Amino acid sequence: MFKYISAIILMSITSYAFSAGFGINATRIIYNENDKTKTVGIRNTTKDIAYLVQTKVLTPDDKQSPFETIPPIFRLEPGNTNQVKIIKNNNVNLPKNQESLFYFIGTAIPSGKLGNENNNNTVSGAINIAIANKIKLFYRPSNLASTPEEAQKGLTFKSTSKGIEMINNSPYYVSISSLNIAGKKVKVSVEEGNSMIAPYSQQTYNVKASTGKVYWIAINDIGGENVYSSSIQK
């Protein structure tokens, strides 16, 4: 029989990266075209657990991105915060007329505890849970038309045969945390796949209404919330 049994279970946490113990000190990262580097803090608020941390930046379909993290792997001691640098590969060109979306991911494996070494007749083990925290990274070119706030405020809502169509005519990604259409609260979430609209795109919500007011809350660059309202267009 094995004296020690260990397993790694990988869990993905895609909401705010603020799980107990291990977390990322940001809800999103804005990487401007003129930035030479961006820095994000990775924290360990436990008192007695060290983590082995891996960081990386991937595309939305989990492929390699033009961003490098330094350090990519490090040990994070209890009660400490480490700063991770994000650097873009200048040999890779990204669109200059709109934002590009990536994900910064920090994965942490906690140190395990061994069983009773003095008892050779027992089977002991530890389950080490790898926690994956994931936040959005927006690459923002210089000299984009309008501002992020104007993009959030400028969303338009049109009545169609399939429902209410939300239209984003800006070069920015817009993230929505709350939406009310014609008096009906609409469920928006990462799981539903309807909480963010890409630049110059449309998204339809299954709400039947030809007139009425729309109220929405958009998440700004620092993770705060901005409230807006408009009317349904025909």
Side-chain angles (χ1 to χ4, degrees):
M1 299 180 70
F2 291 103
K3 186 175 181 181
Y4 303 113
I5 301 173
S6 65
I8 296 176
I9 301 176
L10 182 62
M11 300 190 308
S12 293
I13 302 175
T14 57
S15 58
Y16 283 177
F18 285 101
S19 58
F22 169 77
I24 304 171
N25 289 343
T27 60
R28 62 200 53 238
I29 299 168
I30 309 298
Y31 198 111
N32 295 295
E33 181 179 0
N34 295 328
D35 290 337
K36 294 183 178 180
T37 181
K38 293 292 288 188
T39 302
V40 62
I42 307 292
R43 73 177 182 283
N44 177 4
T45 59
T46 67
K47 296 181 179 180
D48 57 358
I49 300 175
Y51 290 97
L52 178 64
V53 179
Q54 179 187 49
T55 61
K56 55 189 174 183
V57 178
L58 298 178
T59 64
D61 54 356
D62 293 330
K63 295 182 179 179
Q64 185 177 358
S65 78
F67 294 93
E68 177 184 3
T69 58
I70 302 176
I73 299 177
F74 57 91
R75 178 183 172 91
L76 184 57
E77 301 294 339
N80 282 8
T81 299
N82 280 17
Q83 300 299 318
V84 175
K85 290 185 177 180
I86 304 171
I87 301 174
K88 179 183 175 292
N89 181 348
N90 290 327
N91 295 324
V92 178
N93 294 321
L94 295 173
K96 290 183 174 294
N97 62 340
Q98 65 179 59
E99 287 186 327
S100 298
L101 173 66
F102 301 91
Y103 286 94
F104 175 87
I105 302 170
T107 304
I109 301 176
S111 58
K113 295 182 180 180
L114 298 179
N116 183 3
E117 295 186 3
N118 296 323
N119 187 348
N120 294 325
N121 296 321
T122 62
V123 176
S124 61
I127 297 178
N128 292 332
I129 299 176
I131 305 170
N133 280 190
K134 178 179 178 181
I135 63 174
K136 297 169 185 174
L137 184 154
F138 299 101
Y139 175 78
R140 182 173 294 168
S142 301
N143 303 318
L144 288 180
S146 73
T147 66
E149 290 74 20
E150 289 171 338
Q152 295 169 8
K153 183 179 180 180
L155 294 177
T156 58
F157 298 83
K158 183 179 179 180
S159 178
T160 72
S161 59
K162 295 181 179 180
I164 300 298
E165 183 179 69
M166 179 171 67
I167 304 168
N168 178 12
N169 285 321
S170 81
Y172 297 90
Y173 281 86
V174 178
S175 297
I176 303 295
S177 64
S178 179
L179 179 63
N180 186 297
I181 301 176
K184 180 178 179 180
K185 185 174 178 59
V186 180
K187 183 178 181 181
V188 292
S189 67
V190 173
E191 293 73 20
E192 294 286 332
N194 63 357
S195 63
M196 182 173 65
I197 184 168
Y200 306 114
S201 68
Q202 302 82 35
Q203 186 161 268
T204 301
Y205 297 93
N206 187 24
V207 176
K208 300 296 183 181
S210 57
T211 61
K213 296 285 290 185
V214 181
Y215 299 90
W216 68 98
I217 298 177
I219 303 174
N220 59 35
D221 285 354
I222 60 174
E225 296 182 330
N226 298 330
V227 182
Y228 303 99
S229 66
S230 183
S231 297
I232 298 173
Q233 301 176 3
K234 294 184 180 180

